[in-house]
Amino acid sequence: AQSVAQPEDQVNVAEGNPLTVKCTYSVSGNPYLFWYVQYPNRGLQFLLKYITGDNLVKGSYGFEAEFNKSQTSFHLKKPSALVSDSALYFCAVRDGIDNFNKFYFGSGTKLNVKP
Amino acid sequence: NAGVTQTPKFQVLKTGQSMTLQCAQDMNHNSMYWYRQDPGMGLRLIYYSASEGTTDKGEVPNGYNVSRLNKREFSLRLESAAPSQTSVYFCASSEVRGPYNSPLHFGNGTRLTVT
């Protein structure tokens, strides 16, 4: 079965410092991995995805994610955090074999960036 | 370009009442989804529709019904609301072509409270 784990409920970082939001996955077949961001009272917005190719994926708003097959991880990173990055972040994996319509989400990580 | 539009934005129901959540997308996507978001549990798939005329159960379908009215519209119905259905409901759409798909595009959600 496909699943995603986000081990941290909350991540606190000072503005200007690098940030990492962790995600590990379990999937049959090739992993199709995604990161989404949710601002208060809004729907989720797509940040970036990994399908194949380079292990470092660049996305919106200066975010990037590192795919590590051996550790089954897909951590979200940003070199220099902004206060405006404070939001709820979700990792997701798409079913790779049985049903390409099914996406599985982690429980979310709240990112707090302090001035 | 409105993307994914959900109505209503807020709703309060009494136990046993029924209601329908409406969703429409203008991106000509073939797949549409209903998720519910609960604190600490991420997003859980209720139902999805891979194409006009088809619907399938997700992880938590009990107590819900759906209708894919046409390619644009996908509604979620609660026949007899229960307090356990208090949640934030998100509609999403995606273009799925074989193993490749666009990221999910989300509406802004419906906050439902059942008393």
Coordinates of all heavy atoms in Angstrom, one line a residue, chain B residues 34-87:
Chain B
W34 N -12.9 14.4 -4.2 CA -13.3 15.0 -2.9 C -12.5 14.4 -1.8 O -12.3 13.2 -1.6 CB -14.8 14.7 -2.6 CG -15.7 15.6 -3.4 CD1 -16.5 15.3 -4.5 CD2 -16.0 16.9 -3.0 NE1 -17.2 16.4 -4.8 CE2 -17.0 17.4 -4.0 CE3 -15.6 17.8 -2.0 CZ2 -17.5 18.7 -3.9 CZ3 -16.1 19.1 -2.0 CH2 -17.0 19.5 -2.9
Y35 N -11.9 15.4 -1.0 CA -11.1 15.1 0.1 C -11.7 15.7 1.4 O -12.4 16.8 1.3 CB -9.7 15.6 0.0 CG -8.8 14.9 -0.9 CD1 -8.7 15.3 -2.3 CD2 -8.0 13.8 -0.5 CE1 -7.9 14.6 -3.2 CE2 -7.1 13.2 -1.4 CZ -7.1 13.6 -2.7 OH -6.2 12.9 -3.6
R36 N -11.4 15.2 2.5 CA -11.7 15.8 3.8 C -10.4 16.0 4.5 O -9.5 15.2 4.5 CB -12.8 15.1 4.6 CG -12.4 13.7 5.0 CD -13.5 13.1 5.9 NE -13.5 13.7 7.3 CZ -14.5 13.5 8.2 NH1 -15.5 12.6 7.9 NH2 -14.4 14.1 9.3
Q37 N -10.4 17.2 5.2 CA -9.2 17.5 6.0 C -9.5 17.6 7.5 O -10.4 18.4 7.8 CB -8.5 18.8 5.5 CG -7.2 19.1 6.2 CD -6.6 20.4 5.8 OE1 -7.3 21.3 5.2 NE2 -5.3 20.6 6.0
D38 N -8.9 16.8 8.3 CA -9.1 16.9 9.7 C -7.7 17.1 10.4 O -6.7 16.6 9.9 CB -9.7 15.6 10.2 CG -11.1 15.3 9.5 OD1 -12.0 16.1 9.8 OD2 -11.2 14.4 8.7
P39 N -7.7 17.8 11.5 CA -6.5 18.1 12.2 C -5.6 16.8 12.5 O -6.2 15.9 13.0 CB -6.9 18.8 13.5 CG -8.3 19.3 13.2 CD -8.9 18.4 12.2
G40 N -4.4 16.9 12.1 CA -3.5 15.8 12.4 C -3.6 14.6 11.5 O -2.9 13.6 11.7
M41 N -4.6 14.7 10.5 CA -4.8 13.5 9.7 C -4.6 13.8 8.2 O -4.8 12.9 7.4 CB -6.2 13.0 9.9 CG -6.5 12.6 11.4 SD -8.0 11.8 11.6 CE -7.7 10.2 10.9
G42 N -4.1 14.9 7.9 CA -3.9 15.2 6.5 C -5.2 15.2 5.7 O -6.3 15.5 6.2
L43 N -5.1 14.9 4.4 CA -6.2 14.8 3.6 C -6.5 13.4 3.3 O -5.6 12.6 3.0 CB -5.9 15.5 2.2 CG -6.2 17.0 2.2 CD1 -5.1 17.8 3.0 CD2 -6.3 17.5 0.8
R44 N -7.8 13.1 3.4 CA -8.2 11.7 3.1 C -9.2 11.7 2.0 O -10.2 12.5 2.0 CB -8.9 11.0 4.4 CG -7.8 10.8 5.5 CD -8.5 10.1 6.7 NE -9.4 11.0 7.4 CZ -10.3 10.7 8.3 NH1 -10.3 9.4 8.7 NH2 -11.0 11.6 8.9
L45 N -9.0 10.8 1.0 CA -9.9 10.8 -0.2 C -11.2 10.1 0.1 O -11.3 9.0 0.7 CB -9.1 10.0 -1.2 CG -9.8 9.8 -2.6 CD1 -10.0 11.2 -3.2 CD2 -9.0 8.9 -3.5
I46 N -12.3 10.8 -0.2 CA -13.6 10.3 0.0 C -14.1 9.5 -1.2 O -14.4 8.4 -1.2 CB -14.6 11.5 0.3 CG1 -14.1 12.3 1.5 CG2 -16.0 10.9 0.6 CD1 -14.9 13.6 1.7
Y47 N -14.2 10.2 -2.4 CA -14.5 9.7 -3.6 C -13.7 10.4 -4.7 O -13.3 11.5 -4.5 CB -16.0 9.9 -3.9 CG -17.0 8.8 -3.4 CD1 -17.6 9.0 -2.2 CD2 -17.3 7.7 -4.2 CE1 -18.5 8.0 -1.7 CE2 -18.2 6.8 -3.8 CZ -18.8 6.9 -2.5 OH -19.7 6.0 -2.1
Y48 N -13.6 9.7 -5.9 CA -13.0 10.3 -7.0 C -13.8 9.9 -8.3 O -14.5 8.9 -8.3 CB -11.5 10.1 -7.1 CG -11.2 8.6 -7.4 CD1 -10.9 8.2 -8.7 CD2 -11.1 7.7 -6.4 CE1 -10.5 6.9 -9.0 CE2 -10.7 6.4 -6.7 CZ -10.5 6.0 -8.0 OH -10.1 4.7 -8.2
S49 N -13.5 10.7 -9.3 CA -14.1 10.3 -10.6 C -13.0 10.5 -11.7 O -12.5 11.5 -11.9 CB -15.3 11.3 -10.9 OG -15.7 11.2 -12.2
A50 N -12.7 9.3 -12.3 CA -11.6 9.3 -13.3 C -12.1 9.9 -14.6 O -11.2 10.3 -15.4 CB -11.1 7.9 -13.5
S51 N -13.4 9.9 -14.9 CA -13.9 10.5 -16.1 C -15.4 10.7 -15.9 O -16.0 10.2 -15.0 CB -13.6 9.6 -17.3 OG -14.3 8.4 -17.1
E52 N -15.9 11.5 -16.8 CA -17.4 11.7 -16.8 C -18.1 10.4 -16.8 O -17.8 9.5 -17.6 CB -17.7 12.6 -18.0 CG -19.2 13.0 -18.0 CD -19.5 13.9 -19.2 OE1 -18.5 14.3 -19.9 OE2 -20.6 14.2 -19.5
G53 N -19.0 10.2 -15.9 CA -19.8 9.0 -15.9 C -19.3 7.9 -15.0 O -19.9 6.9 -14.8
T54 N -18.1 8.1 -14.4 CA -17.5 7.1 -13.5 C -17.2 7.7 -12.2 O -16.8 8.9 -12.1 CB -16.3 6.5 -14.1 OG1 -15.2 7.5 -14.1 CG2 -16.5 5.9 -15.5
T55 N -17.5 6.9 -11.1 CA -17.1 7.4 -9.7 C -16.5 6.1 -9.0 O -17.0 5.0 -9.3 CB -18.2 8.0 -9.0 OG1 -19.3 7.0 -8.8 CG2 -18.8 9.2 -9.7
D56 N -15.6 6.4 -8.1 CA -15.1 5.3 -7.3 C -14.8 5.7 -5.8 O -14.6 6.9 -5.6 CB -13.7 4.8 -7.9 CG -13.9 4.0 -9.1 OD1 -14.3 2.8 -9.0 OD2 -13.7 4.6 -10.2
K57 N -14.9 4.7 -4.9 CA -14.7 5.0 -3.5 C -13.2 5.3 -3.2 O -12.3 4.7 -3.8 CB -15.2 3.9 -2.7 CG -16.7 3.7 -2.8 CD -17.1 2.5 -1.9 CE -18.6 2.2 -2.0 NZ -19.0 1.0 -1.2
G58 N -13.0 6.2 -2.3 CA -11.6 6.4 -1.8 C -11.4 5.7 -0.4 O -12.0 4.6 -0.2
E59 N -10.7 6.4 0.5 CA -10.4 5.8 1.8 C -11.6 5.9 2.8 O -11.7 5.0 3.6 CB -9.2 6.6 2.4 CG -8.0 6.6 1.6 CD -7.0 7.6 2.2 OE1 -6.3 7.3 3.2 OE2 -6.9 8.7 1.6
V60 N -12.4 6.9 2.7 CA -13.4 7.1 3.7 C -14.8 7.5 3.1 O -15.3 8.6 3.2 CB -13.0 8.2 4.7 CG1 -11.9 7.8 5.6 CG2 -12.6 9.5 4.0
P61 N -15.4 6.6 2.3 CA -16.6 6.9 1.6 C -17.9 6.8 2.3 O -18.9 7.3 1.9 CB -16.6 5.8 0.5 CG -15.9 4.6 1.1 CD -14.9 5.2 2.0
N62 N -17.9 6.1 3.5 CA -19.1 5.9 4.2 C -19.8 7.2 4.6 O -19.2 8.1 5.2 CB -18.9 5.0 5.5 CG -18.4 3.6 5.1 OD1 -18.6 3.2 3.9 ND2 -17.9 2.9 6.0
G63 N -21.1 7.2 4.3 CA -21.9 8.4 4.7 C -22.0 9.5 3.6 O -22.6 10.5 3.8
Y64 N -21.3 9.2 2.5 CA -21.3 10.1 1.4 C -21.7 9.5 0.1 O -21.6 8.3 -0.1 CB -19.9 10.7 1.2 CG -19.2 11.3 2.4 CD1 -18.4 10.5 3.2 CD2 -19.4 12.6 2.7 CE1 -17.8 11.1 4.3 CE2 -18.8 13.2 3.8 CZ -18.0 12.4 4.6 OH -17.4 12.9 5.7
N65 N -22.2 10.3 -0.8 CA -22.5 9.9 -2.2 C -22.0 11.0 -3.1 O -21.9 12.2 -2.7 CB -24.0 9.7 -2.5 CG -24.5 8.4 -1.8 OD1 -24.0 7.3 -2.2 ND2 -25.4 8.5 -0.9
V66 N -21.7 10.7 -4.4 CA -21.2 11.7 -5.3 C -21.9 11.5 -6.6 O -22.5 10.5 -7.0 CB -19.6 11.5 -5.5 CG1 -18.9 12.0 -4.3 CG2 -19.3 10.1 -6.0
S67 N -21.8 12.6 -7.4 CA -22.3 12.6 -8.8 C -21.4 13.4 -9.7 O -21.0 14.5 -9.3 CB -23.7 13.3 -8.8 OG -24.7 12.5 -8.1
R68 N -21.0 12.8 -10.8 CA -20.2 13.5 -11.8 C -21.2 13.9 -12.8 O -21.5 13.2 -13.7 CB -19.1 12.6 -12.4 CG -18.2 13.3 -13.4 CD -17.3 14.2 -12.7 NE -16.4 14.9 -13.6 CZ -15.2 14.5 -14.0 NH1 -14.7 13.3 -13.6 NH2 -14.5 15.2 -14.9
L69 N -21.7 15.1 -12.7 CA -22.8 15.6 -13.5 C -22.4 15.8 -15.0 O -23.1 15.6 -15.9 CB -23.3 16.9 -12.9 CG -23.7 16.9 -11.4 CD1 -23.9 18.3 -10.9 CD2 -24.9 16.0 -11.3
N70 N -21.2 16.2 -15.2 CA -20.6 16.4 -16.5 C -19.1 16.5 -16.3 O -18.6 16.3 -15.2 CB -21.2 17.6 -17.2 CG -21.2 18.8 -16.3 OD1 -20.1 19.2 -15.8 ND2 -22.4 19.4 -16.1
K71 N -18.4 16.9 -17.3 CA -16.9 16.9 -17.2 C -16.5 18.0 -16.2 O -15.5 17.9 -15.5 CB -16.2 17.2 -18.5 CG -14.7 16.9 -18.4 CD -14.1 16.9 -19.8 CE -12.6 16.6 -19.7 NZ -11.9 16.5 -21.0
R72 N -17.3 19.1 -16.1 CA -16.9 20.2 -15.2 C -17.3 20.0 -13.7 O -16.6 20.5 -12.8 CB -17.6 21.5 -15.7 CG -17.1 22.0 -17.0 CD -17.7 23.4 -17.3 NE -17.4 24.4 -16.3 CZ -18.2 24.9 -15.4 NH1 -19.4 24.5 -15.3 NH2 -17.8 25.8 -14.5
E73 N -18.4 19.3 -13.5 CA -19.0 19.4 -12.1 C -19.0 18.0 -11.4 O -19.3 17.0 -12.0 CB -20.4 19.9 -12.3 CG -20.5 21.3 -12.8 CD -21.9 21.7 -13.1 OE1 -22.5 21.1 -14.0 OE2 -22.4 22.5 -12.3
F74 N -18.7 18.1 -10.1 CA -18.6 16.9 -9.3 C -19.1 17.2 -7.9 O -18.5 18.0 -7.2 CB -17.1 16.4 -9.2 CG -16.9 15.1 -8.6 CD1 -17.7 14.0 -8.8 CD2 -15.8 14.9 -7.8 CE1 -17.5 12.8 -8.2 CE2 -15.5 13.6 -7.2 CZ -16.4 12.6 -7.4
S75 N -20.3 16.7 -7.5 CA -20.9 17.1 -6.3 C -20.8 16.0 -5.2 O -20.7 14.8 -5.6 CB -22.4 17.4 -6.5 OG -23.1 16.3 -7.0
L76 N -20.8 16.4 -4.0 CA -20.7 15.5 -2.8 C -21.9 15.7 -2.0 O -22.3 16.8 -1.6 CB -19.5 15.8 -2.0 CG -19.2 15.0 -0.8 CD1 -18.8 13.5 -1.1 CD2 -18.2 15.6 0.1
R77 N -22.6 14.6 -1.7 CA -23.9 14.7 -0.9 C -23.7 13.9 0.4 O -23.3 12.8 0.4 CB -25.0 14.1 -1.7 CG -26.4 14.2 -1.0 CD -27.6 14.1 -1.9 NE -28.8 14.2 -1.2 CZ -29.4 15.4 -0.8 NH1 -28.8 16.5 -1.1 NH2 -30.5 15.4 -0.1
L78 N -24.2 14.6 1.4 CA -24.3 14.0 2.8 C -25.8 13.7 3.0 O -26.6 14.7 3.1 CB -23.8 14.9 3.9 CG -22.3 15.0 4.0 CD1 -21.7 15.8 2.9 CD2 -22.0 15.7 5.3
E79 N -26.3 12.5 3.0 CA -27.7 12.2 3.1 C -28.2 12.4 4.5 O -29.4 12.9 4.7 CB -27.9 10.7 2.7 CG -27.7 10.5 1.2 CD -28.8 11.1 0.3 OE1 -29.8 11.7 0.8 OE2 -28.6 11.1 -0.9
S80 N -27.5 12.1 5.5 CA -27.9 12.2 6.9 C -26.7 12.6 7.7 O -25.9 11.7 8.1 CB -28.5 10.9 7.4 OG -28.9 11.0 8.7
A81 N -26.4 13.9 7.9 CA -25.2 14.3 8.5 C -25.0 13.8 9.9 O -26.0 13.8 10.7 CB -25.1 15.8 8.4
A82 N -23.8 13.6 10.2 CA -23.4 13.1 11.6 C -22.3 14.0 12.1 O -21.5 14.6 11.3 CB -22.9 11.7 11.6
P83 N -22.2 14.2 13.4 CA -21.1 15.1 13.9 C -19.7 14.6 13.5 O -18.8 15.5 13.3 CB -21.2 14.9 15.5 CG -22.7 14.6 15.7 CD -23.1 13.8 14.5
S84 N -19.5 13.3 13.2 CA -18.2 12.9 12.7 C -17.8 13.4 11.3 O -16.7 13.3 10.9 CB -18.2 11.3 12.7 OG -19.2 10.8 11.8
Q85 N -18.8 14.0 10.7 CA -18.6 14.6 9.3 C -18.2 16.0 9.4 O -18.0 16.7 8.4 CB -19.8 14.3 8.4 CG -20.0 12.8 8.1 CD -21.2 12.6 7.3 OE1 -22.4 13.0 7.6 NE2 -21.1 11.9 6.2
T86 N -18.1 16.6 10.6 CA -17.6 17.9 10.8 C -16.1 17.9 10.3 O -15.3 17.1 10.8 CB -17.6 18.3 12.2 OG1 -19.0 18.5 12.6 CG2 -16.9 19.7 12.5
S87 N -15.9 18.8 9.3 CA -14.5 18.7 8.6 C -14.5 19.9 7.6 O -15.4 20.6 7.5 CB -14.4 17.4 7.9 OG -13.0 17.3 7.4

